[in-house]
Amino acid sequence: MSTRFDSALQTLRGSWNRFAEDVGGRLLVWVLGGDEVPLVEAMLVAESDARAAEVPDLFVQIRTPFGSPEEYSAAVRQEFLTQYVDSWEALPESERPPRFSESAGSLQATCAAFLTHHQRVFEHLVLVFHPSEVSDEEAFALWLGQTAK
């Protein structure tokens, strides 16, 4: 990696760490130019590899398209749970932590239960929203704000 890229990656991680230390922090928004998206994606890939991770947090990319606020929370919850099951099953059996058993509930309740279940492994569960499509940007921004409360 180039020194410029490494420096930018460290700046991004520093931004995340400052936010993560704020106990009242609920929503961090990075507004990115098109050429900056690969940098964030590189950080997320690095942080998802336990050997390269520099922060004790689990980052989960959510790409579910945003159609309507009424349906989005359930769709995000389903994507999160599907990713969890797929990654858990991909681990060698000897490395699998006890499996999280999801029950019906809201997105927030599911995330809180997941984090409680894995509290010895992760300090924070971070849902990174990068929907493949957004039908209404204003409604999406409103949904993010309301969901983070």
Side-chain angles (χ1 to χ4, degrees):
M1 277 189 230
S2 73
T3 303
R4 184 173 166 209
F5 184 83
D6 288 340
S7 176
L9 195 55
Q10 285 308 109
T11 298
L12 192 58
R13 281 186 172 132
S15 171
W16 166 254
N17 286 329
R18 284 187 299 282
F19 175 77
E21 291 170 2
D22 178 0
V23 295
R26 300 279 295 155
L27 180 64
L28 173 64
V29 177
W30 282 322
V31 179
L32 307 171
D35 61 336
E36 297 170 314
V37 171
L39 178 65
V40 172
E41 289 178 346
M43 180 188 135
L44 297 175
V45 167
E47 292 302 328
S48 67
D49 181 347
R51 297 164 297 189
E54 292 187 17
V55 296
D57 307 316
L58 175 62
F59 293 85
V60 178
Q61 293 190 65
I62 302 296
R63 299 209 185 270
T64 298
F66 180 85
S68 72
E70 298 78 25
E71 299 170 1
Y72 194 60
S73 292
V76 167
R77 182 181 180 277
Q78 185 57 53
E79 181 180 352
F80 167 69
L81 292 172
T82 298
Q83 285 187 45
Y84 170 74
V85 169
D86 290 349
S87 63
W88 187 87
E89 289 176 349
L91 288 172
E93 202 167 312
S94 63
E95 295 178 24
R96 290 180 183 167
R99 186 165 172 174
F100 170 67
S101 298
E102 70 277 356
S103 58
S106 70
L107 172 62
Q108 293 91 334
T110 298
C111 291
F114 176 86
L115 193 55
T116 298
H117 181 80
H118 290 294
Q119 65 186 338
R120 292 188 179 139
V121 181
F122 310 113
E123 286 185 23
H124 299 98
L125 169 61
V126 184
L127 300 184
V128 180
F129 293 95
H130 191 237
S132 59
E133 184 180 326
V134 176
S135 63
D136 182 339
E137 290 187 22
E138 190 173 307
F140 180 60
L142 185 62
W143 180 88
L144 281 172
Q146 290 174 340
T147 301
K149 288 183 180 179

